[in-house]
Amino acid sequence: MLETTVQPGTNIVTLDAHGGITAGEMLHMREVLDEVLRDHDTVRMVAIRGEIDFGDISPKALWLDLTSAGYVKKLERLAVVTDVDWEAKVSGWTSELLHIPTRRFRLDERAAAQAWISRP
């Protein structure tokens, strides 16, 4: 499941992913990002990643994810909330390669991630 929410009145988007992911959930994420970008030039994102069931991600959802790379250019700051170590490494690469301030938090540090993403 991929749940996409926006902190009202801000450019802070939270993506909470766990289990399988459908194309409809990916389309909803893109719609939310497009809406935020209509009102703001950038997006601050909190990506919460639980255990993903890669066998239960629809092929169309995977394609939509791969073709969403343009949104990365609009990231102002990224908080990655996960206990999965390989995902933490990927977030470090994102920071280095794309020069996006990125910080990793454990799942029990969600409040700290929200505080960090919200600060000026």
Side-chain angles (χ1 to χ4, degrees), residues 3 6 8 10 13 15 21 30 34 50 53 62-63 66-67 70-71 82 85-86 90 92 96 99-100 115 119:
E3 297 175 82
V6 178
T10 74
V13 176
L15 305 178
I21 299 173
R30 290 171 78 144
D34 288 340
D53 181 356
L62 182 58
W63 176 251
L66 293 172
T67 59
Y71 292 107
T82 184
D85 288 332
W86 69 265
V90 171
E96 289 178 33
H99 307 289
I100 298 166
R119 74 174 198 219

Side-chain angles (χ1 to χ4, degrees), residues 2 4 13 15 23-38 43 45 60-71:
L2 176 63
T4 306
V13 176
L15 305 178
E25 292 164 345
M26 288 298 298
L27 287 169
H28 176 69
M29 175 202 70
R30 290 171 78 144
E31 290 168 1
V32 169
L33 289 172
D34 288 340
E35 185 176 319
V36 168
L37 288 169
R38 274 193 291 278
V43 173
M45 185 177 292
K60 186 173 180 181
L62 182 58
W63 176 251
L64 289 167
D65 185 39
L66 293 172
T67 59
S68 296
Y71 292 107

Side-chain angles (χ1 to χ4, degrees), residues 39-111:
D39 296 331
H40 305 274
D41 292 332
T42 60
V43 173
R44 290 180 176 213
M45 185 177 292
V46 177
I48 302 169
R49 301 292 300 258
E51 289 294 326
I52 302 293
D53 181 356
F54 290 100
D56 197 20
I57 297 175
S58 78
K60 186 173 180 181
L62 182 58
W63 176 251
L64 289 167
D65 185 39
L66 293 172
T67 59
S68 296
Y71 292 107
V72 172
K73 297 176 193 173
K74 298 293 187 172
L75 284 177
E76 177 183 347
R77 190 179 291 176
L78 173 63
V80 178
V81 183
T82 184
D83 288 339
V84 180
D85 288 332
W86 69 265
E87 293 212 25
K89 275 193 188 287
V90 171
S91 69
W93 297 337
T94 301
S95 181
E96 289 178 33
L97 294 173
L98 303 174
H99 307 289
I100 298 166
T102 304
R103 188 163 165 203
R104 188 260 183 118
F105 299 85
R106 296 222 168 257
L107 288 173
D108 62 356
E109 299 175 310
R110 289 180 190 203

